[in-house]
Amino acid sequence: MDADNTARNEHLQTGKGKRRTKRVFESHDAYTEKPLENNDKQESEKSMIHPVADNTENMNEMKNLRLLARQRYLSHREREKLVVLVKELEYLEQDIDKYGWENLTQGERDDIILKRELVALVEHREGAGVQKFNLQEDYVDDQGKLDVKRKKALLNDRSGYRQHEDEGKRKHMWEEKQLHKAVKKDEDVDEIKLPGADRYEFVFDDNAMVDYEEQKEVLPEKDSEQEIHLLKQLEIEQERITSVQETRKVLPVYGYRKELLEAIKEHQTLIIVGETGSGKTTQLPQYLVEDGYTQGGKFRIAVTQPRRVAATAVAARVADEMDVVLGKEVGYSIRFEDKTMADRTILKYMTDGMLLREFLVDPELQKYSCIMIDEAHERTLATDILLGLLKDILPHRKDLKLLISSATMNATKFSRFFNNCPIFNVPGRRFPVDIHYTVQPEANYLHAVISTVFQIHTKEPVPGDILVFLTGQDEIENIAEKMEMIAGKLGEKAMPLIITPIYANLPQDQQNRIFIPTPPSCRKVVLATNIAETSLTVEGIKYVVDPGYVKENSFVPSTGMTQLLTVPCSRASVDQRAGRAGRVGPGKCYRIFTKWSYYNELELMPRPEIVRTNLSSVVLLLLSLGITNLVNFQLLDKPSVSSLSKSLENLYLLGALNSKGTITKLGRIMCEFPCEPEFAKVLHTAATHEMCHGVLEECIDIVAMLHETKSLFMGSKNQNPGLRIIGQTDSDHMLYWEIYDEWRNSNYSKMWCQDHKLQYKTLCRVRNIRDQLLQCADKLGLAALNESARRELVDKQSGSALTARITKCFISGFPMNIAQLGINSYRTVGKKSTSGLDVYIHPSSVVFQSKRDGKKPCKFVLYQQLMLTSKEFIRDCLPIIKESWLEEMVPQLFRSR
Ligand SMILES: Nc1ncnc2c1ncn2[C@@H]1O[C@H](COP(=O)(O)OP(=O)(O)OP(=O)(O)O)[C@@H](O)[C@H]1O
């Protein structure tokens, strides 16, 4: 290891070093391709069609449509809107016949004039028939001719096209008319009688003519201004649409469309390697749709992504490109959120974990004609298992196509795994990205990041936003604070700097802030973890600052502990990160490490998750799919035998496997829940175990909360003022339950969340998770079992009895997560109690607070997470008040104590 290398590792460990104000980078690897022009417009400017809120809005909308119709053919959505307007117009025309033009208000007349004009305009443009704007199913017969009967029938069916207030007005007018008629004595009120008319023939001459004076329609000033504004918006929108469609044609993958489709037709499995931004994720699935792989809605195409944020963002982009509504033809599916329609979605972006779960209900994935495993280089656990399962089913599903894609992967390894399947290379990238390395290693990379960002901010022109890759929430918050301080001190000397963070635990609406276009003369800095590393396009990003580190989970089978360690990224990851700078224009990437380090220190590929993670849920899933020979199950990389046996041991302890290693009935039930087997066991116990049943709903609330605790509190948990209002509790689990229960009692109020400094959106997600778990429990019959147990419990349920039952349920689900009080700290217990590990209660835990308040600590505590950060911390803790509960719930583990 040379000096370069040593310093890099030292500053990672110590974080100390001399700060330099100006970074010196050396330029390297500039891509030489000619940049193309970028016509893309900002996302937020796209649609001018809004739902009708009031009449003014309705009028504006019609004017807007009229303008659009003058300029071009209307889109599918605009036509749908137009259909509604046409129906409204027909209806209004009937009113005119009935009540007379003079009885309409000025507003109604304007409305009708505008509607007539709009319909005439589209009819004029597109031919006489209204069928051009999707009225076939309403007015037109099988030959395409106007079906008068159907039209009439439709017009008679007025519901839905008239607002209530109009209904009131019409009623009023009708009553007046009836009253008027009643007062009149003449019987034949409709016949006009002229004196002597029966003696003369009516002759039309000049004298009979009616005189009119012409008044030119003068639009009020406000309207014309509005029209100009709308025209401008229209131009922008048109440019954006043209640009989106043109972008598709200039992507490198477009040049290979035909060859790609031929290769896919010829081979069942194909590996596709193309530069970042070449169009793999967004374009390939669209080519497949265009080439008939969905056969008019009969089959689906699935595209997997390792990250939720990428799956949702890419689905939105593709829906836009295909001009369809997100959630209909194009949708996404991520855990606890499904935005697809069973009978309509043909292209589904999803996390790899979600496709894995689909194997449970459809082991041959019969509804799919094509599966694309994107960003395969990331080698997530779910991707690796998917590849193994797909390899297994391909011989039985000859019609199923499998595409494996990435920018930077060991393609030959993947090809070998799939019987030497062909590799398709898509050369070229759309925009060049210049890579800059530091000349020498930086002693403190966080200081270097801040200096680099301000170097760019003060020297480079706008527009040009910056994306910084950091390792986690703490680092992001810390850097954001420092940057805000420096920007404040710079004041007028620099342009305003907008700092937006993105990390997995940030609530969704706040994550989406990174996509908001930057106002002119400002610069945006996105501070991101590696969740922004692949597949994402954040428009406006021109500079990437990359220190080259990532936080990685590492499971230690001997202790059952997950360590969260900061480690250098792989070359594949830093190349992906650089790619984020060249998505919509040429960019620059500043790497806070040396070129030497890139070529000599960084691993080529990330370490596969399968060799560094807890395998319990995957093992259970494979067993439930009938894959019993786990050791021989084909995988790109095999997990270690110790980690396999640790997970088998864990599943046996939970009762998911019997002594022969076969999956039990309980194991199958646990598989059905969309959560880890340990949580599923908690819920099963809560509904069925005679010592503690009847608390299923409370346990579901807690389990749902435990999935979202990281983004629950505004600010730090232990300083949260809301907790005092909620009251005193001695465990994190009961605190979470009380929070959820109080929020439910407030009728899920947003204000309540604000008062208690809790994230409303997070609680909404908890509610969603809770509903799904409850549905699942219902489907499995557990809810009914719980209900009968609960009836017996009524009145006997005191607060402490409830806590006891809940604690017992969690002991049954997490028997390996128990620690016993020692002299200075807690010590983990379990089978290998003698070789336990000293662990410390994290300061964010309620149990830590109780200890500080001088309360006597419990002898045993259950924890949800064991993390090695600055020391071995246990988080989300539940004190076990009675030692006997351990033996009661898990005798096989605690009997001898
Ligand atoms: N939301 C968006 N806004 C603007 N342009 C976009 C958007 N999404 C994609 N693009 C354009 O489409 C191009 C192709 O994106 P796509 O995600 O298909 O590439 P890719 O080859 O899959 O890249 P990666 O390997 O980085 O995921 C981008 O470089 C960008 O120019």
Side-chain angles (χ1 to χ4, degrees), residues 40 43 247 251 275-283 317 374-375 407 430-431 534-535 537 539 576 580 582-584:
D40 288 354
E43 275 269 304
T247 302
L251 292 176
E275 281 283 2
T276 57
S278 58
K280 303 175 296 296
T281 316
T282 53
Q283 304 309 304
R317 168 71 180 185
D374 200 19
E375 310 300 353
R430 195 171 163 219
F431 295 106
T534 47
S535 294
T537 300
E539 280 194 68
Q576 281 285 342
R580 300 311 106 196
R583 310 288 283 184
V584 287

Side-chain angles (χ1 to χ4, degrees), residues 38 40-41 43 240 243-244 247-248 250-253 274-286 305 310 313-314 316-318 320-321 349 372 374-375 377 405-408 426 428-431 515 533-540 575-577 579-580 582-585:
N38 165 31
D40 288 354
K41 286 283 172 273
E43 275 269 304
R240 196 193 70 81
S243 154
V244 165
T247 302
R248 290 193 64 193
V250 293
L251 292 176
V253 77
E275 281 283 2
T276 57
S278 58
K280 303 175 296 296
T281 316
T282 53
Q283 304 309 304
L284 276 175
Q286 291 189 67
Q305 290 291 321
V314 174
R317 168 71 180 185
V318 173
D320 194 24
E321 287 187 7
Y349 285 86
M372 177 167 162
D374 200 19
E375 310 300 353
H377 74 277
S405 57
S406 175
T408 38
V426 180
R429 61 160 55 207
R430 195 171 163 219
F431 295 106
F515 297 109
E533 188 174 293
T534 47
S535 294
L536 268 200
T537 300
V538 184
E539 280 194 68
D575 288 347
Q576 281 285 342
R577 291 177 176 192
R580 300 311 106 196
R583 310 288 283 184
V584 287

Side-chain angles (χ1 to χ4, degrees), residues 37-52:
E37 272 196 349
N38 165 31
N39 286 329
D40 288 354
K41 286 283 172 273
Q42 295 159 337
E43 275 269 304
S44 70
E45 294 166 346
K46 58 184 176 195
S47 178
M48 288 183 287
I49 310 298
H50 302 288
V52 180

Side-chain angles (χ1 to χ4, degrees), residues 624-871:
S624 73
L625 288 171
I627 295 160
T628 45
N629 192 345
L630 295 174
V631 179
N632 287 339
F633 179 62
Q634 298 208 40
L635 287 164
L636 268 166
D637 283 287
K638 297 257 178 211
S640 69
V641 176
S642 60
S643 106
L644 253 182
S645 46
K646 181 82 192 170
S647 47
L648 288 171
E649 185 191 325
N650 198 19
L651 290 170
Y652 173 66
L653 198 60
L654 293 176
L657 305 185
N658 61 21
S659 56
K660 292 185 194 126
T662 315
I663 189 163
T664 59
K665 194 172 160 217
L666 172 60
R668 290 196 187 279
I669 291 178
M670 283 156 70
C671 250
E672 292 281 320
F673 278 101
C675 57
E676 285 68 31
E678 291 84 357
F679 282 126
K681 175 70 190 284
V682 171
L683 302 184
H684 186 264
T685 308
T688 59
H689 198 291
E690 56 180 9
M691 307 301 281
C692 52
H693 55 182
V695 289
L696 177 66
E697 293 202 13
E698 288 80 359
C699 284
I700 286 183
D701 292 349
I702 298 172
V703 169
M705 287 289 275
L706 285 169
H707 277 84
E708 293 289 337
T709 50
K710 285 189 188 143
S711 56
L712 180 64
F713 299 96
M714 293 179 190
S716 97
K717 176 180 165 189
N718 43 12
Q719 285 159 11
N720 195 288
L723 302 188
R724 279 196 295 277
I725 304 168
I726 287 163
Q728 287 294 314
T729 134
D730 291 332
S731 75
D732 292 302
H733 294 61
M734 292 312 286
L735 169 76
Y736 294 138
W737 179 69
E738 284 182 25
I739 290 176
Y740 190 80
D741 199 42
E742 288 278 323
W743 182 56
R744 181 171 33 217
N745 292 340
S746 77
N747 201 17
Y748 308 107
S749 146
K750 200 171 182 174
M751 285 295 285
W752 184 90
C753 293
Q754 276 166 6
D755 288 348
H756 292 78
K757 297 269 176 289
L758 295 162
Q759 301 276 8
Y760 174 70
K761 293 262 174 184
T762 306
L763 277 172
C764 291
R765 272 206 308 276
V766 171
R767 188 178 172 189
N768 183 21
I769 297 173
R770 183 196 170 277
D771 290 350
Q772 291 194 37
L773 292 175
L774 198 61
Q775 254 177 32
C776 189
D778 208 12
K779 206 175 84 189
L780 294 167
L782 295 180
L785 283 174
N786 181 67
E787 210 33 59
S788 56
R790 206 175 177 93
R791 256 178 262 127
E792 290 168 24
L793 283 177
V794 178
D795 301 333
K796 285 187 228 157
Q797 199 71 295
S798 72
S800 59
L802 185 72
T803 310
R805 280 176 183 266
I806 292 173
T807 310
K808 285 180 191 178
C809 295
F810 274 86
I811 294 173
S812 84
F814 292 90
M816 306 295 267
N817 291 16
I818 310 262
Q820 183 175 4
L821 190 64
I823 300 164
N824 295 318
S825 62
Y826 277 92
R827 201 172 172 77
T828 56
V829 294
K831 262 202 162 151
K832 294 173 188 163
S833 51
T834 43
S835 61
L837 197 79
D838 285 338
V839 291
Y840 300 85
I841 290 171
H842 195 269
S844 67
S845 171
V846 169
V847 180
F848 183 86
Q849 299 299 317
S850 314
K851 200 174 140 211
R852 222 170 40 184
D853 296 345
K855 288 194 185 160
K856 194 169 169 253
C858 255
K859 190 173 171 194
F860 289 95
V861 68
L862 181 146
Y863 56 86
Q864 294 301 144
Q865 283 182 60
L866 168 56
M867 284 286 187
L868 176 66
T869 47
S870 55
K871 50 182 174 178

Side-chain angles (χ1 to χ4, degrees), residues 447-719:
H447 283 161
V449 163
I450 297 175
S451 306
T452 307
V453 166
F454 281 96
Q455 225 165 290
I456 297 169
H457 186 47
T458 50
K459 296 276 177 294
E460 300 280 355
V462 283
D465 297 334
I466 307 169
L467 172 62
V468 183
F469 284 98
L470 296 165
T471 61
Q473 182 178 350
D474 293 351
E475 212 169 82
I476 287 176
E477 283 171 356
N478 179 2
I479 292 258
E481 201 177 299
K482 290 195 172 124
M483 279 185 182
E484 253 153 31
M485 198 183 71
I486 297 172
K489 283 189 181 155
L490 277 176
E492 303 275 290
K493 282 186 230 142
M495 285 160 289
L497 197 64
I498 300 163
I499 300 167
T500 54
I502 179 164
Y503 43 86
N505 292 323
L506 194 70
Q508 191 71 41
D509 55 326
Q510 288 179 41
Q511 283 192 7
N512 289 341
R513 282 179 53 211
I514 69 162
F515 297 109
I516 298 173
T518 314
S521 307
C522 291
R523 199 189 298 278
K524 177 166 67 187
V525 184
V526 178
L527 303 178
T529 59
N530 59 346
I531 70 165
E533 188 174 293
T534 47
S535 294
L536 268 200
T537 300
V538 184
E539 280 194 68
I541 297 291
K542 200 167 173 181
Y543 309 98
V544 163
V545 178
D546 181 14
Y549 289 111
V550 67
K551 258 196 192 135
E552 208 176 72
N553 268 336
S554 197
F555 180 67
V556 186
S558 58
T559 58
M561 182 170 71
T562 302
Q563 296 181 338
L564 194 58
L565 296 174
T566 301
V567 296
C569 294
S570 66
R571 269 156 74 171
S573 294
V574 295
D575 288 347
Q576 281 285 342
R577 291 177 176 192
R580 300 311 106 196
R583 310 288 283 184
V584 287
K588 289 181 185 174
C589 174
Y590 294 86
R591 290 180 172 162
I592 318 259
F593 49 89
T594 61
K595 187 171 145 190
W596 188 92
S597 179
Y598 176 83
Y599 285 104
N600 299 286
E601 262 194 318
L602 303 190
E603 295 285 341
L604 267 179
M605 293 289 148
R607 207 154 64 98
E609 200 181 352
I610 199 160
V611 299
R612 57 178 171 85
T613 199
N614 182 347
L615 298 170
S616 294
S617 50
V618 163
V619 166
L620 189 60
L621 184 98
L622 290 178
L623 289 172
S624 73
L625 288 171
I627 295 160
T628 45
N629 192 345
L630 295 174
V631 179
N632 287 339
F633 179 62
Q634 298 208 40
L635 287 164
L636 268 166
D637 283 287
K638 297 257 178 211
S640 69
V641 176
S642 60
S643 106
L644 253 182
S645 46
K646 181 82 192 170
S647 47
L648 288 171
E649 185 191 325
N650 198 19
L651 290 170
Y652 173 66
L653 198 60
L654 293 176
L657 305 185
N658 61 21
S659 56
K660 292 185 194 126
T662 315
I663 189 163
T664 59
K665 194 172 160 217
L666 172 60
R668 290 196 187 279
I669 291 178
M670 283 156 70
C671 250
E672 292 281 320
F673 278 101
C675 57
E676 285 68 31
E678 291 84 357
F679 282 126
K681 175 70 190 284
V682 171
L683 302 184
H684 186 264
T685 308
T688 59
H689 198 291
E690 56 180 9
M691 307 301 281
C692 52
H693 55 182
V695 289
L696 177 66
E697 293 202 13
E698 288 80 359
C699 284
I700 286 183
D701 292 349
I702 298 172
V703 169
M705 287 289 275
L706 285 169
H707 277 84
E708 293 289 337
T709 50
K710 285 189 188 143
S711 56
L712 180 64
F713 299 96
M714 293 179 190
S716 97
K717 176 180 165 189
N718 43 12
Q719 285 159 11

